[in-house]
Each structure stands twice: as C-alpha cells, then as structure tokens.
Amino acid sequence: MTRGVVAAWYDEEGWGVLDSPEVPGEVFAHFSMISQLGRGYRSLSPGQHVHFTWEDRPQDGYAFSAIEIFIAGEAPSWGRETENSGPGYSSSFHIEFDDV
C-alpha cells in the first residue's frame, strides 16, 4: 500500500491525480476505485491524504493508474452493504443423492 496525497480532483468528471514519493510519476485516479461505503458519491479533495495501490498502466496521459484508493484514517470498505442493512446478497447450495 502506497501513501500519497490528492494533487488534483475534478468532482464533476469523477477523476483526479495522486502524488507519492514512492511512485515515479503522477497516478490517475477514478472515483470508482475509492473505498467509501455508504457515503454517497465517491469523491476526494486536493490535499487529502490517501493510501492506494497502483499499476503501470497508462490512462489519459498518466503513466500509472490507481487500482484501489483508501482515505487515510478511515476503515476500508467495498460493495453495496450499508451500516444497518447487512449483506446485499446470500446464497445456499443443497445436494441430495438418490438411493440406488
């Protein structure tokens, strides 16, 4: 996990740029990569501290892309589960064999 800061964020477009001394260049960040459960539209703010993982994948003129972003000081969370609703899905599996 890499520590960094949000260098720029374009809320209307849903993307921005992350900086970290651990990465050899700026990192493209898309809102869909932000772990921010149950808080509406996923967004960041310039100057905000984050933890992120990244890969060497060009995107919109940036050599690197974030693949998951966690807001510093907040517990990571993914999916559609909300605080009081429990899991958004469940499944079960049952097998019966015929007596032969």
Side-chain angles (χ1 to χ4, degrees):
M1 191 69 57
T2 303
R3 292 180 185 199
V5 65
V6 179
W9 189 259
Y10 307 97
D11 221 16
E12 291 178 6
E13 298 173 19
W15 70 277
V17 181
L18 307 178
D19 267 333
S20 172
E22 300 173 43
V23 183
E26 295 179 315
V27 179
F28 175 85
H30 191 263
F31 80 94
S32 64
M33 299 297 119
I34 303 169
S35 169
Q36 185 176 315
L37 182 62
R39 294 181 42 207
Y41 184 76
R42 297 175 185 184
S43 181
L44 298 171
S45 300
Q48 189 172 23
H49 291 272
V50 294
H51 301 278
F52 62 98
T53 57
W54 57 280
E55 62 186 4
D56 187 356
R57 179 175 46 95
Q59 175 72 40
D60 293 340
Y62 298 94
F64 310 103
S65 295
I67 53 176
E68 54 186 356
I69 304 166
F70 304 97
I71 298 169
E74 293 187 11
S77 56
W78 290 105
R80 297 181 182 271
E81 186 176 323
T82 61
E83 191 174 292
N84 298 319
S85 70
Y89 65 92
S90 67
S91 63
S92 63
F93 186 72
H94 179 78
I95 297 177
E96 288 185 28
F97 293 97
D98 293 333
D99 291 331
V100 191

